[in-house]
Amino acid sequence: MKLKQLVAALGIALVASSAAYAQDIKPRLIRFGYGLVENSNQGRAVKLFAEEVEKASGGKMKVRAIGAAALGSDVQMQQALIGGAQEMMVGSTATLVGITKEMAIWDTPFLFNNAQEADVVLDGPVGQKIIDKLQEKGLVGLVYWENGFRNLTNNKQPVAKLEDLNGIKLRVMQNNVFLDSFKSLGANAVPLPFSELFTALETKAVDGQENPYNTILSSKFYEVQKYLTVTNHVYSPWIVLVSKKWWDGLSKDERDVLANAAKKSRDFERKDTREEAAKALAELKAKGMQVNELSAAEANRMRSKLTQVNASIAANVGQDLWNEVQAAVEKARAS
Ligand code: TF8
C-alpha cells in the first residue's frame, strides 16, 4: 500500500469510528409491559416499537416486550415505572386519572365523532400539554395510540333501550368518570383491572363490559359474552409511557431513538387498529355474538345521561383546559 492510500484508509476509519461515537448509546434493556395478548393491535405495535428501537440503536437498546399483564395491571405497571422498577409500558389513559387528573379529559363521552378528530387533538398542542403533566408525577408520555371507540357487551339481554341496563353488573375501568357514567345509566358499575376481566366474565362475577371491537376480539370476550350493543360512547386512547427516573439517565441520542420509534409505532398502530376494527364486527357476529344498534331516540337518551358527567370532568380538570379541548375539537371538526 502506498503512503497516500494508507493515509486515506486511516482517514476513512477515523470518520467511521467517530460516527459511531457520535451516537451516544449504551447497552440498555427495556422492559416494556402491556395488558393485552401478543396477538392484538397492542401487541403488534409493541413488537414494531421494539424492532425500531433495536434498528435505530444498532442493536444496543433491546426491548423485552411483556404482554398479557404479566408485569401487572395498568395501575401496577404505572407504579413500577414511577418507582423505576420497569422502564416502559403502554396502557389506557383512563387508569392514569388517579395520578394525573387532567387525563380524565379523554374519558369525556362522545368527545370525538371520529378517529381523525382524535388524531388531530391528541397530537396537537393540548394533547401534548396533558402529556407534559405526567412529568411531575414521575412519568414521561411519548405518544398516544388508539385503543378506540368503546362498545358495550353483556351476557344478560340485548340492550336496546336505557332501561335494559338496569341491574346489569358492568365492569368499568378504574376511574371515577367511567364509574359515574355507567351508574347514571342505571348499570351496577364495578371497577376492575382489565387483567381480571375475562375471568370475572367467565365466572359471572360481572355480566358485561365495554371495550373497542378489537379488544373484544383479541381477548376472546365473545366466548363469554352473548350480546353486543353498538354504542361508540367514548374514544379511548392508549399512551406509551417511560419511567422518568430511567429516562433522566438517558443520553439525548437514546431519548431520540425512543421518541422516533414511538412515533413510528403510533402511525403503525393507528392504521393497524382501524383496519382490524373495520372487519372485527363481522368476525364477532361470525363467532356468535348477537349485535344490535340503538335506535336514534335511545342513543340520544343514553347520550344525554352520559354527558351529565361533563360538568364534573370540567370541574376536575379545570374549566380552562376543558375549554381549550373543546376549542381544539371544534377546530378539528371544521377542518
Ligand atoms: C380496559 C382498557 C384496556 C387497556 C389495556 C389493558 O378496558 O380498554 O384495553 O387498559 O391496555 O381496561
Side-chain angles (χ1 to χ4, degrees), residues 102-112 177-178 181 232-236 306-307 309-311 313-314 317 322 325-326:
E102 289 81 3
M103 285 288 165
I105 203 84
W106 311 129
D107 300 329
T108 306
F110 306 102
L111 179 62
F112 301 123
V177 178
F178 276 86
S181 295
N232 290 315
H233 50 275
V234 67
Y235 175 95
S236 279
L306 280 168
T307 48
V309 297
N310 287 7
I313 299 174
V317 303
W322 172 270
V325 171
Q326 296 302 320

Side-chain angles (χ1 to χ4, degrees), residues 35-36 42 74 90-92 147 150 171 173 194 210-212 215 238:
L36 300 192
Q42 200 175 49
D74 282 6
V90 62
S92 150
N147 187 351
R150 305 179 79 87
R171 176 271 178 175
M173 290 191 279
F194 184 84
E210 40 85 53
N211 253 301
T215 301
W238 278 325

Side-chain angles (χ1 to χ4, degrees), residues 316-335:
N316 281 332
V317 303
Q319 194 64 45
D320 288 349
L321 182 63
W322 172 270
N323 293 345
E324 215 177 315
V325 171
Q326 296 302 320
V329 174
E330 269 164 44
K331 200 173 151 210
R333 206 157 278 172
S335 69

Side-chain angles (χ1 to χ4, degrees), residues 10-171:
L10 272 175
I12 289 168
L14 266 176
V15 170
S17 69
S18 68
Y21 277 110
Q23 263 217 332
D24 180 9
I25 297 178
K26 292 198 181 70
R28 304 272 182 191
L29 178 67
I30 303 160
R31 284 159 296 182
F32 191 127
Y34 60 98
L36 300 192
V37 292
E38 212 179 310
N39 183 20
S40 65
N41 53 343
Q42 200 175 49
R44 290 188 291 273
V46 174
K47 186 161 176 270
L48 179 117
F49 175 80
E51 287 163 2
E52 289 296 333
V53 168
E54 300 214 18
K55 219 193 305 168
S57 67
K60 286 189 184 165
M61 298 170 80
K62 294 219 162 21
V63 178
R64 186 181 293 160
I66 306 161
L71 291 180
S73 67
D74 282 6
V75 169
Q76 287 166 329
M77 290 195 286
Q78 289 155 14
Q79 292 307 325
L81 260 61
I82 292 169
Q86 181 183 328
E87 290 74 29
M88 290 189 72
M89 67 173 284
V90 62
S92 150
T93 54
T95 49
L96 276 172
V97 172
I99 294 171
T100 295
K101 62 180 193 315
E102 289 81 3
M103 285 288 165
I105 203 84
W106 311 129
D107 300 329
T108 306
F110 306 102
L111 179 62
F112 301 123
N113 284 340
N114 55 55
Q116 284 65 38
E117 286 176 13
D119 290 355
V120 172
V121 175
L122 289 161
D123 300 346
V126 76
Q128 189 57 46
K129 188 175 190 174
I130 294 172
I131 280 191
D132 291 343
K133 301 264 181 213
L134 292 166
Q135 294 243 1
E136 66 203 55
K137 301 294 163 86
L139 295 168
V140 176
L142 295 183
V143 283
Y144 294 104
W145 287 358
E146 172 157 304
N147 187 351
F149 284 98
R150 305 179 79 87
N151 291 292
L152 190 77
T153 69
N154 88 95
N155 217 9
K156 280 212 136 163
Q157 59 192 23
V159 173
K161 57 181 190 307
L162 194 55
E163 288 71 19
D164 295 334
L165 275 165
N166 275 344
I168 287 189
K169 245 186 154 182
L170 189 81
R171 176 271 178 175

